[in-house]
Amino acid sequence: MNINHLITFITTVEKGTLSAAAEELHLTQPAVSKQLQALEDYFGLRLLERRGREVRLTAAGEICYRHARIIASHLNQTRRELAELTQLVRGRLLLGASTTPGQYILPRLIGAFRREYPRVEVILTIADTQEVVQRLQEGEIDLGVVGAAGGRGKNLSYSRLAGDELVLIVPPGHRLAGATAISPGELKEEPLVWRESGSGTRRVVEERLAAAGFTVDPEQIVMELGSTEAIVSAVEAGLGISLVTSWAVEKSVKLGRLAVVTLQGVDLKRDLYLVRRRQPLSPAAEAFVNFAADHQPRPLVS
């Protein structure tokens, strides 16, 4: 008997339909049916009754389900204890991240992770949020870290990785540089240095400004750049003003190259998310997810 047949049986019982079990297990419905038939052939008894789309346990199925749950529990416990004993978390972990977490958060987190799991090789690719989500969907990376939740695909799961706050930055000699706080309306006609289309940061900024009653005029956007560092440099050079993550500006503010201005009436706090596919992870990816949950980074104070 194949242990996977028991897992398929348990999942089908708990999901209630073959189609739901197939979606959960990332199998086709015929494959689920075939595995269930193989299990019934093994025991020589009918385990499930099909009533329309739903399935229900027979008397024999009740017994099989009860013992299958015990077997699955013991198997999982055995795997956990063996992993703890041998510490064989190894392999390659492919991460994709949007600019903010990729440049400012993950390098430190990966460093700490590698000290605990030295046998895991971590490869990090930085791209915009849409591309990270697409690569995750296509199986090119194991996990993604992005600045906005809700990317396409029902099979994706988002969990909070860290907090962030977007801050308004202006050159030191700018008319707003000495202001303690301004209203969104005072941004009208200011030249804006903006993130590229598809950026999670840009999406959050425009949504939050719109919620506060301010709509960005496309003609205000004098430059679109693909990285936060490039935006910071452009603002330092006097090419415009921008909203960027607080993680990126502490050094420039201390050196007097930038000024931070409070934008009243706009909620600029956000969460950064770890995104994964809804399917079993590799041991290395599972270890990283658990490690990140226990070591959530804190944003810099603006």
Side-chain angles (χ1 to χ4, degrees), residues 186-206:
E186 293 183 67
L187 299 180
K188 190 176 182 180
E189 298 183 4
E190 284 287 341
L192 302 177
V193 181
W194 235 226
R195 282 296 304 273
E196 80 284 6
S197 203
S199 160
T201 297
R202 175 169 177 165
R203 186 171 114 196
V204 170
V205 165
E206 293 182 346

Side-chain angles (χ1 to χ4, degrees), residues 6 72 135 157 187 189 203 214 237 264 268 271 277:
L6 281 180
R135 290 185 179 186
S157 172
L187 299 180
E189 298 183 4
R203 186 171 114 196
F214 180 81
Q264 289 181 325
L268 292 173
D271 288 326
R277 293 184 298 275

Side-chain angles (χ1 to χ4, degrees), residues 120-176:
V120 177
E121 177 191 5
V122 182
I123 298 175
L124 172 63
T125 301
I126 298 177
D128 66 42
T129 296
Q130 290 181 354
E131 186 175 346
V132 171
V133 170
Q134 182 179 348
R135 290 185 179 186
L136 187 63
Q137 290 275 46
E138 294 174 358
E140 295 179 8
I141 56 176
D142 301 308
L143 301 168
V145 182
V146 295
R152 64 191 183 92
K154 293 182 179 180
N155 67 328
L156 297 181
S157 172
Y158 291 81
S159 58
R160 183 184 185 276
L161 175 69
D164 185 22
E165 184 171 4
L166 300 169
V167 293
L168 178 66
I169 56 172
V170 302
H174 193 276
R175 67 178 184 86
L176 299 175

Side-chain angles (χ1 to χ4, degrees), residues 10-81:
I10 293 170
T11 305
T12 302
V13 172
E14 294 178 351
K15 291 296 180 180
T17 67
L18 297 184
S19 59
E23 183 177 355
E24 176 72 15
L25 296 167
H26 300 279
L27 298 172
T28 63
Q29 190 168 326
V32 171
S33 296
K34 185 176 180 180
Q35 290 190 22
L36 294 175
Q37 184 62 55
L39 192 63
E40 291 181 331
D41 291 344
Y42 177 83
F43 288 115
L45 293 167
R46 178 63 63 85
L47 303 177
L48 295 169
E49 292 179 346
R50 293 158 178 80
R51 297 182 180 179
R53 294 183 58 196
E54 296 183 351
V55 294
R56 294 187 180 181
L57 289 168
T58 64
E62 293 276 2
I63 296 171
C64 183
Y65 176 67
R66 185 170 70 252
H67 288 285
R69 288 285 306 274
I70 295 171
I71 291 169
S73 176
H74 283 310
L75 180 61
N76 288 333
Q77 182 62 29
T78 300
R79 287 172 175 163
R80 285 193 294 268
E81 291 182 12

Side-chain angles (χ1 to χ4, degrees), residues 274-292:
L274 189 149
V275 54
R276 53 174 287 185
R277 293 184 298 275
R278 296 181 186 273
Q279 64 185 62
L281 297 172
S282 69
E286 187 73 46
F288 186 83
V289 169
N290 294 332
F291 185 87

